[in-house]
Amino acid sequence: MVTKEELMAMINAKIELYNPRGGLSQTAKFFLALIGINHGDTREHCERVALLAEQVARMTKMDAKAAFFAGLLHDTGKLVLPASLFDGHNISAEEYAHVKEHAIAGFRALRGLHAFTALCAGLHHNLYKAGYGLTLEDFPKDWSMATIKKVLEISAVISVCDFIDAYTHRATKILDGSAGSDLRTMLVQKYPDDVLVVDLALLANDEMGL
Ligand SMILES: [Fe+2]
Ligand SMILES: [Fe+2]
């Protein structure tokens, strides 16, 4: 288990190393600073998801840099929700419905700045469910199928890593309806099309010991 300070240092070093174009470093740093003020351990959660997603992307020959930044910013929309939802209490079903709005809020906040990362944020809780969240209409019309496919692949990695981190670190119960005797069973049920990603993410999570 790494300390908060070690985690922050690892993240800052990687932000510098990747040095993405388009102001993504500054957006990520600003988000982490803001979410670190009063949203419980959401900052550390985002940092761990970024590191895990980066590692899984590397293992599957996806774009590790894109996965890292999408992981860092996936919960951007939590900034517009009350901090009391993240204080560690077991939230009610009503509160959970409110919390779910963060995915689309994150998409809206980021889409004019970082389109790829925005889509990953918007998709990270509803990859295989209809009813809320994004549709193909939300993708820029001039994007190639290859880019759309990349968004969907990286979103799946973020989503799986997010679930693993919430399960292994969060004090509050997972209320999304997943039921199973163990983490892998729950993940396979939830991500039937991404069993390889699930297994690699579980392996990476064990090895990294975040
Ligand atoms: Fe989330
Ligand atoms: Fe998350």
Side-chain angles (χ1 to χ4, degrees):
M1 200 74 108
V2 297
T3 66
K4 274 187 182 191
E5 291 70 27
E6 286 167 341
L7 195 53
M8 197 186 295
M10 285 162 79
I11 292 295
N12 284 331
K14 280 183 188 279
I15 291 176
E16 297 308 319
L17 185 74
Y18 279 131
N19 191 24
R21 287 174 300 171
L24 190 53
S25 297
Q26 291 306 318
T27 303
K29 286 182 191 173
F30 185 53
F31 164 67
L32 293 173
L34 277 179
I35 202 86
I37 292 172
N38 64 358
H39 277 61
D41 73 346
T42 307
R43 175 183 175 131
E44 288 72 32
H45 162 70
C46 292
E47 292 173 339
R48 288 189 302 264
V49 170
L51 294 172
L52 186 57
E54 178 198 33
Q55 180 61 11
V56 174
R58 196 166 282 143
M59 291 160 102
T60 50
K61 306 272 186 282
M62 289 185 208
D63 185 336
K65 178 178 175 177
F68 174 76
F69 283 97
L72 266 189
L73 287 158
H74 78 280
D75 274 340
T76 295
K78 286 187 176 172
L79 282 174
V80 301
L81 296 173
S84 59
L85 289 172
F86 307 98
D87 64 5
H89 75 278
N90 283 333
I91 57 173
S92 66
E94 197 181 316
E95 285 174 313
Y96 183 64
H98 193 189
V99 166
K100 283 200 297 189
E101 293 167 14
H102 76 274
I104 193 85
F107 167 70
R108 287 187 182 134
L110 290 167
R111 70 178 153 187
L113 300 167
H114 312 290
F116 187 97
T117 307
L119 285 159
C120 293
L123 287 164
H124 82 274
H125 284 299
N126 70 320
L127 270 180
Y128 302 111
K129 291 179 198 158
Y132 77 100
L134 307 184
T135 68
L136 265 184
E137 288 298 300
D138 293 304
F139 284 76
K141 300 288 172 281
D142 57 344
W143 279 13
S144 65
M145 277 313 292
T147 308
I148 293 172
K149 188 165 167 270
K150 182 175 165 183
V151 169
L152 295 174
E153 285 171 350
I154 299 227
S155 296
V157 170
I158 302 299
S159 199
V160 168
C161 295
D162 181 42
F163 192 93
I164 291 175
D165 192 74
Y167 183 91
T168 51
H169 287 82
R170 200 170 289 163
T172 47
K173 286 186 294 186
I174 289 175
L175 283 175
D176 74 342
S178 306
S181 52
D182 63 82
L183 177 55
R184 186 177 183 277
T185 307
M186 289 165 86
L187 284 164
V188 170
Q189 237 171 47
K190 203 168 152 62
Y191 305 98
D193 296 339
D194 293 296
V195 177
L196 176 67
V197 167
V198 164
D199 283 332
L200 291 174
L202 286 169
L203 184 71
N205 190 56
D206 283 346
E207 284 178 0
M208 292 167 78
L210 297 172

